[in-house]
Amino acid sequence: MELLEGTMTGHQHPTTISTKLQRIATLSERHPERAWTTLGHLIDVEWLGEAYRLIRKDGAPGVDGQTAAEYGEHLAENLASLAERFHSGHYWAPPVRRAFIPKASGEPRAIGIPTVEDKILQRAVTMVLEAVYEQDFLDCSHGFRPGRSAHQALERLHHELMSMHGGYVVDLDIASFFDSMNHGVLRDFLDKRIRDGELRRAIGKWLEAGVLQDGVVQRGHVGSPQGGVISPLLANIYLHEVLDLWFENMVKPRMRGRAVMVRYADDAVMVFEHESDAQRVMSVLPKRLAKYGLQLNGEKTRLVRFVRPAFVPLDDGDGPGTFSFLGFTHHWARSRKGYNVVKRKTAKDRQRRAIHRVSEWCRQHRHAPVSEQWAQLVAKLRGHYAYYGITGNFRSLVRFYAQVRQVWWKWLGRRSQRARMTWERYARLLERYPLPQPRIVHPA
């Protein structure tokens, strides 16, 4: 598929770029079976300038050590050079720098940190691809998509659980998904929609660039380093084919009762009205994933009976189970009016990890001015409330607030052996530097 000639020329402005993206989206929606062959010409200096505006400027530098601020000192010249190398095929994708961040389990998660120039070009290409694939992606997918969020995924799941009176939940976990994406399979998926030579050449270079760790570049035929601007979109394209379309077109029509899936990146749950349906899908999931080079995490993937308590036989003493999704443990509880409802609370491992990070920060900065410590703790608490402040989770927020107060008191008390921080003195300090109270940011 080609763009109309009238969309290819002229000086580009953010409004013009938006118009072109809308044109791509309209044509993609109108022709869902056709592949694009001419899109790369859109990425010129102005397009790259918009991509530069959109990337984070405070991110860590890549293998070249260059920051966004340094790149921006000669922005016009740098973007002109980048555009020329992209179109001529001379662009070289440097390896990403590997870094590690702690996962919820406490284990390190490997991420890749691209160079600033890589981030700009990846953002520019992502802008084009999103305009195409947003017309294809299904409503069950919420992760890393424009206008969608984790809270929307949680609300969608909550709505389905309530309308189905619970059900049988397949808590799905793919083992090391971002490290297991098969490049050949991904290229086959891309062929269905994107056959533009310039875009595909750049994507191929990013997939093959490898990872720099301890001075050694590691390359392979699988994996997409987490941290790259384009990686979440490539992951969504992959799982759209592997899971979303399969569940919608192959699984649901074969079920005895209702079936729903909610996915956020590689984190997904499937809810079934009948246990037999859930068991059938559980039995075929390993084969389905293996066909595309993926594996289930056997320790974390499980089938949970999540039927509303009133529907559980009285002689069954186990009651409904619980499961976690996007940092929240889902469980049945009584509402204020006495009804059985699905509630969400902060998962224990997330709560422990959050308070541990606050404690470590307080320990490392205990000698900083109190006003500076207070400003950072206010930001951390508000950030915590911004994500976990959903209806039904107020007790967890109160617990977190109390733990933060306790941790700050502990480390302030270790600033000096002579001036002991008593609880009474700390209470007076909190009057001058009050910490924000828990609040629900996302009411039902």
Side-chain angles (χ1 to χ4, degrees), residues 132-149:
V132 176
Y133 280 102
E134 276 300 307
Q135 318 317 310
D136 298 349
F137 291 157
L138 304 183
D139 282 343
C140 64
S141 168
H142 294 267
F144 304 104
R145 293 180 56 189
R148 290 177 174 247
S149 67

Side-chain angles (χ1 to χ4, degrees), residues 255-316:
M255 299 291 97
R256 289 176 51 221
R258 286 181 61 187
V260 174
M261 181 176 73
V262 178
R263 181 175 67 81
Y264 190 91
D266 59 330
D267 198 355
V269 292
M270 302 172 178
V271 186
F272 301 89
E273 185 178 359
H274 297 294
E275 185 176 14
S276 59
D277 288 342
Q279 290 174 338
R280 286 174 60 195
V281 172
M282 276 286 285
S283 67
V284 300
L285 261 175
K287 296 178 182 178
R288 176 66 185 179
L289 295 180
K291 181 179 178 181
Y292 301 99
L294 304 176
Q295 281 186 316
L296 279 180
N297 186 326
E299 295 181 357
K300 295 183 178 180
T301 300
R302 60 198 185 103
L303 174 57
V304 180
R305 187 183 66 174
F306 198 72
V307 180
R308 194 169 75 180
F311 284 67
V312 177
L314 294 177
D315 59 351
D316 190 334

Side-chain angles (χ1 to χ4, degrees), residues 186-341:
L186 178 59
R187 290 187 178 98
D188 290 341
F189 292 157
L190 288 168
D191 282 342
K192 297 180 180 181
R193 283 302 241 167
I194 304 295
R195 295 180 188 169
D196 176 89
E198 292 178 334
L199 296 183
R200 292 296 299 273
R201 183 169 58 209
I203 293 171
K205 288 180 178 181
W206 289 322
L207 291 175
E208 297 168 3
V211 177
L212 177 66
Q213 182 178 351
D214 299 328
V216 179
V217 177
Q218 303 170 1
R219 293 185 172 90
H221 301 292
V222 296
S224 177
Q226 297 183 65
V229 176
I230 201 170
S231 291
L233 177 57
L234 296 180
N236 272 333
I237 294 171
Y238 206 94
L239 291 176
H240 170 72
E241 298 280 349
V242 175
L243 279 181
D244 301 357
L245 290 178
W246 171 72
F247 191 86
E248 186 68 25
N249 299 330
M250 302 295 291
V251 173
K252 289 173 69 173
R254 290 170 169 79
M255 299 291 97
R256 289 176 51 221
R258 286 181 61 187
V260 174
M261 181 176 73
V262 178
R263 181 175 67 81
Y264 190 91
D266 59 330
D267 198 355
V269 292
M270 302 172 178
V271 186
F272 301 89
E273 185 178 359
H274 297 294
E275 185 176 14
S276 59
D277 288 342
Q279 290 174 338
R280 286 174 60 195
V281 172
M282 276 286 285
S283 67
V284 300
L285 261 175
K287 296 178 182 178
R288 176 66 185 179
L289 295 180
K291 181 179 178 181
Y292 301 99
L294 304 176
Q295 281 186 316
L296 279 180
N297 186 326
E299 295 181 357
K300 295 183 178 180
T301 300
R302 60 198 185 103
L303 174 57
V304 180
R305 187 183 66 174
F306 198 72
V307 180
R308 194 169 75 180
F311 284 67
V312 177
L314 294 177
D315 59 351
D316 190 334
D318 292 337
T322 65
F323 68 94
S324 292
F325 181 58
L326 298 181
F328 291 89
T329 297
H330 293 64
H331 63 103
W332 284 100
R334 293 279 187 178
S335 69
R336 291 181 178 179
K337 295 183 178 180
Y339 299 113
N340 286 312
V341 296

